[in-house]
């Protein structure tokens, strides 16, 4: 039978996790809930106890036709006739283990880098435990936190070995499992499953916990559900669609929940109103549970970050991710301070962003926040040329499996495959604070109303916005930033009013 790694349970006999319950009972409940592999991991018991416990667990796993693997202890596996072993980097090496184990034994190994993964494949491992995904209290001495980006880099590196299995481990729970599966993905190789300790072993109802995992693993992430529609590819074909996408946005009247800096909140709220959306400015994370029920998006703009912001952001991101509603991240000043750099890292580990929007420095920080680097963009020159900007936007979008907008004199927009350069706009936009931040809000409106092609949605928002800016700046009575602002709002409103009437003339010949 082929090895089914989809829901891999790792046992833990410590008091904090077992809570006086019997190990065999907890494991059996988890098996009833759909666990597909059990690894007996016991770092403290004497050999005699380990053999006895392993034998008991084996009699249980056999009832469910699920393989039992023994952590580290090849001798224990041989003694009880277990289906295989799981080895750490400091345990017996694969070649020696093979000498002791029967020929069909399953051998898995923990890997946290590309080098370790390649070596494990060359040595003939059946599967790799890839981690540590996220920080976890269950194992605090892990070598490195690699996140989804690091996991993806490892999968890429071994993608020409289709038969070797892969499971992600470390801090995986019901909230993040779908995102872990979605983002830890290279074009030729995805994860085969997830390895779980505490989220099953410490659960009050291990059977229900396992059932929930089994269900989540089989179901695409809520935010991935709408991404399979056929997409227009040529730039011209995309542009033809823009007026229709704008009309649809105006019709949908999206709600946009802004967790935004106080400098620009007023302007951004007015921009949202002008285009026909409903802005809510709420920094209070707990409100997201209610707000995410509407047809709307969440914008995280960390311009005026405080010590309380991060936990509020994470609560809100979780609510919108679970609902499958779009989340936009504007990592303002991402590289400016130690705290902001850590925040970028923690937010990118903590949730899924449909769109990351920022200037060159911010996008470079978002790229470099992963523990494992795939390509050395950040060792490049201090200012990127146009080709490098386009490549950076594409690579980040490809890695995160989302949309990236790198803003500047020319904006680069990518979904990981297509890259579009947008040249519209006006220099006066650069003279008014909040004009960049408002693009995050506008994008949220368009991502809400047009789900099937997120790149086209964001492109339509940018074009509506930048064409309105050009129209405003061309007015004779606009003499500078002061008179530009109200006129710009008027021009956004004018496009919205035209679109509501089905009139696309604002766009014709302008893009
Ligand atoms: N190995 P939980 S992380 C046993 O990174 C183990 O190799 C890890 O526990 C590795 O599911 C880990 O409770 C503990 O976070 C995972
Ligand atoms: Mg070990």
């Amino acid at each position: 039978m082929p090895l089914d790694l989809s829901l891999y349970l790792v046992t833990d006999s410590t008091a904090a996790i077992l809570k006086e319950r019997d190990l065999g009972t907890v494991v059996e409940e988890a098996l009833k809930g759909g666990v597909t592999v059990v690894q007996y991991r016991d770092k403290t018991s004497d050999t005699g106890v380990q053999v006895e416990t392993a034998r008991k667990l084996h009699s249980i796993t056999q009832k469910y036709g699920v393989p039992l693997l023994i952590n580290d202890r090849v001798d224990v596996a041989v003694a009880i006739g277990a289906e295989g072993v799981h080895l750490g980097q400091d345990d017996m090496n694969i070649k020696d283990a093979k000498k002791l184990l029967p020929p069909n034994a399953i051998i898995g190994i923990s890997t946290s880098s590309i080098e370790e993964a390649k070596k494990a494949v060359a040595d003939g491992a059946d599967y790799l435990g890839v981690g540590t995904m996220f920080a976890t209290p269950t194992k605090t001495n892990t070598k490195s936190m690699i996140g989804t980006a690091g996991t993806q880099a490892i999968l890429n590196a071994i993608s020409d070995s289709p038969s070797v299995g892969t499971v992600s481990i470390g801090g995986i729970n019901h909230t993040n499992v779908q995102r872990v599966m979605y983002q830890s993905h290279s074009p030729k190789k995805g994860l085969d499953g997830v390895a779980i300790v505490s989220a099953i072993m410490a659960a009050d109802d291990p059977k229900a916990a396992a059932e929930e995992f089994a269900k989540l693993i089989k179901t695409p992430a809520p935010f991935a559900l709408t991404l399979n529609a056929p997409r227009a590819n040529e730039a011209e074909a995309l542009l033809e669609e823009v007026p229709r996408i704008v009309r649809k946005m105006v019709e949908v009247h999206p709600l946009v929940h802004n967790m935004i800096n106080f400098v620009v909140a007023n302007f951004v709220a007015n921009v949202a109103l002008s285009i026909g959306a409903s802005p809510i400015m709420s920094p209070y994370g707990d409100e997201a549970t209610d707000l995410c029920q509407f047809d709307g998006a969440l914008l995280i703009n960390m311009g005026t970050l405080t010590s309380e912001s991060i936990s509020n952001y994470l609560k809100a991101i979780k609510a919108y991710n679970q609902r499958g509603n779009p989340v936009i991240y504007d990592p303002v000043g991402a590289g400016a301070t130690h705290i902001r750099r850590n925040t970028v890292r923690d937010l990118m580990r903590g949730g899924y962003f449909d769109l990351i929007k920022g200037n060159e420095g911010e996008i470079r920080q978002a790229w470099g926040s992963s523990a494992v680097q795939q390509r050395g963009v950040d060792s490049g020159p201090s200012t990127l040329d146009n080709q490098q900007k386009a490549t950076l936007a594409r690579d980040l979008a490809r890695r995160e499996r989302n949309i990236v907008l790198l803003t500047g004199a020319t904006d680069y927009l990518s979904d990981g495959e297509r890259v579009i350069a947008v040249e519209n706009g006006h220099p006066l936009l650069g003279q008014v604070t909040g004009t960049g931040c408002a693009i995050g809000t506008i994008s949220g409106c368009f991502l809400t109303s047009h789900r099937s092609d997120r790149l086209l949605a964001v492109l339509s928002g940018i074009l509506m916005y930048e064409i309105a800016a050009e129209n405003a700046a061309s007015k004779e009575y606009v003499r500078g930033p002061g008179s530009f602002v109200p006129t710009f709002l008027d021009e956004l409103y004018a496009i919205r009013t035209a679109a509501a009437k089905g009139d696309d003339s604002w766009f014709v010949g302008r893009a």
Side-chain angles (χ1 to χ4, degrees):
M1 250 219 343
L3 182 59
D4 178 357
L5 291 164
S6 59
L7 184 53
Y8 183 129
L9 178 71
V10 182
T11 71
D12 189 306
S13 308
T14 57
I17 288 195
L18 262 192
K19 295 180 266 194
E20 324 233 308
R21 296 168 303 174
D22 171 61
L23 179 65
T25 312
V26 172
V27 168
E28 179 146 19
E29 286 301 300
L31 284 162
K32 285 182 193 158
V35 158
T36 63
V37 180
V38 175
Q39 179 196 131
Y40 171 47
R41 179 171 181 271
D42 186 339
K43 296 301 198 189
T44 51
S45 299
D46 289 337
T47 303
V49 174
Q50 287 205 36
V51 170
E52 191 190 330
T53 310
R55 192 166 275 138
K56 190 177 136 205
L57 289 179
H58 200 207
S59 69
I60 298 168
T61 57
Q62 282 175 316
K63 276 199 285 181
Y64 294 84
V66 162
L68 177 71
L69 311 179
I70 311 295
N71 182 289
D72 184 359
R73 296 292 299 266
V74 179
D75 53 342
V76 175
V78 172
I80 68 139
E83 282 71 25
V85 292
H86 183 86
L87 304 171
Q89 288 292 325
D90 303 324
D91 298 340
M92 186 184 293
N93 68 49
I94 294 180
K95 282 182 190 144
D96 290 333
K98 276 183 193 270
K99 289 181 211 155
L100 300 174
L101 288 161
N104 59 348
I106 298 163
I107 302 183
I109 181 160
S110 300
T111 55
S112 57
S113 68
I114 289 173
E115 295 68 37
E116 287 174 359
K118 283 190 162 163
K119 178 161 192 313
V121 171
D123 289 348
D126 294 294
Y127 76 89
L128 313 183
V130 183
T132 304
M133 176 56 79
F134 304 122
T136 170
T138 310
K139 187 171 197 264
T140 47
N141 65 340
T142 58
K143 279 189 206 145
S144 56
M145 235 60 76
I146 63 172
T148 55
T151 303
Q152 198 185 82
I154 289 174
L155 292 170
N156 265 326
I158 58 164
S159 65
D160 52 2
S161 308
S163 64
V164 67
T166 53
V167 283
S168 174
I169 186 161
I172 297 169
N173 57 40
H174 291 137
T175 310
N176 60 28
V177 63
Q178 289 177 305
R179 183 170 63 83
V180 163
M181 297 292 289
Y182 179 70
Q183 287 191 305
S184 307
H185 177 95
S186 90
K188 280 198 280 174
K189 201 170 181 71
L191 285 175
D192 295 304
V194 286
I196 314 285
V197 185
S198 54
I200 294 177
M201 292 296 299
D204 289 337
D205 185 344
K207 173 168 175 264
E211 272 170 355
E212 180 68 10
F213 271 116
K215 193 180 90 195
L216 290 168
I217 289 163
K218 275 196 221 101
T219 321
F223 46 77
L225 280 175
T226 49
L227 308 182
N228 298 322
R231 296 172 314 186
N233 243 314
E234 296 296 320
E236 264 175 45
L238 280 175
L239 288 177
E240 249 170 55
E241 302 253 26
V242 168
R244 180 178 67 83
I245 307 299
V246 172
R247 274 186 261 132
K248 201 160 111 193
M249 188 281 298
V250 173
E251 253 167 56
V252 168
H253 195 70
L255 182 131
V256 53
H257 174 178
N258 299 276
M259 299 182 99
I260 199 162
N261 72 75
F262 54 70
V263 181
V264 305
N266 175 275
F267 175 72
V268 167
N270 281 330
V271 166
L273 287 171
S274 299
I275 67 165
S278 295
I280 290 185
M281 322 311 270
S282 168
Y284 194 170
D286 289 316
E287 283 196 304
T289 344
D290 287 342
L291 293 175
C292 76
Q293 303 301 323
F294 297 99
D295 216 3
L298 170 70
L299 168 69
I300 305 287
N301 171 306
M302 62 174 205
T304 45
L305 192 66
T306 70
S307 58
E308 279 139 46
S309 306
I310 298 161
S311 60
N312 280 300
Y313 293 160
L314 286 170
K315 278 182 194 164
I317 295 165
K318 181 173 157 188
Y320 278 79
N321 276 177
Q322 277 180 340
R323 179 80 187 174
N325 281 354
V327 183
I328 295 96
Y329 185 28
D330 190 342
V332 181
T337 63
H338 170 72
I339 286 177
R340 286 187 195 224
R341 286 193 289 277
N342 287 348
T343 304
V344 175
R345 183 199 60 203
D346 293 346
L347 295 186
M348 287 180 68
R349 280 183 189 164
Y352 178 75
F353 297 111
D354 293 77
L355 169 68
I356 300 176
K357 170 217 160 271
N359 62 28
E360 180 186 327
E362 291 157 357
I363 297 296
R364 286 175 78 158
Q365 189 61 41
W367 170 262
S369 66
S370 73
V372 176
Q373 297 303 317
Q374 286 177 281
R375 242 162 287 163
V377 175
D378 35 36
S379 58
S382 59
T383 307
L384 303 178
D385 65 29
N386 288 348
Q387 183 56 49
Q388 289 169 317
K389 284 183 193 167
T391 305
L392 173 60
R394 188 204 59 198
D395 286 353
L396 181 61
R398 188 174 284 171
R399 190 185 79 188
E400 299 298 317
R401 300 193 81 191
N402 67 359
I403 307 290
V404 169
L405 173 63
L406 194 163
T407 58
T410 303
D411 300 326
Y412 295 91
L413 178 66
S414 181
D415 62 357
E417 292 166 42
R418 299 168 289 178
V419 185
I420 296 183
V422 184
E423 304 271 4
N424 294 70
H426 192 276
L428 275 176
L429 284 170
Q431 300 300 312
V432 179
T433 186
T435 51
C437 298
I439 292 179
T441 299
I442 296 236
S443 300
C445 299
F446 280 83
L447 284 165
T448 299
S449 59
H450 188 68
R451 302 280 180 111
S452 60
D453 183 347
R454 296 180 294 180
L455 179 111
L456 175 59
V458 177
L459 175 67
S460 302
I462 301 171
L463 287 173
M464 176 183 187
Y465 190 74
E466 299 199 336
I467 288 172
E470 290 167 20
N471 292 347
S474 72
K475 301 289 181 213
E476 214 178 294
Y477 51 84
V478 169
R479 298 185 296 122
S483 43
F484 172 73
V485 170
T487 313
F488 180 35
L489 295 176
D490 285 350
E491 292 302 321
L492 284 168
Y493 182 76
I495 294 177
R496 167 251 186 120
T497 316
K501 291 188 200 130
D503 171 5
D504 298 337
S505 58
W506 65 273
F507 189 72
V508 178
R510 288 306 310 275

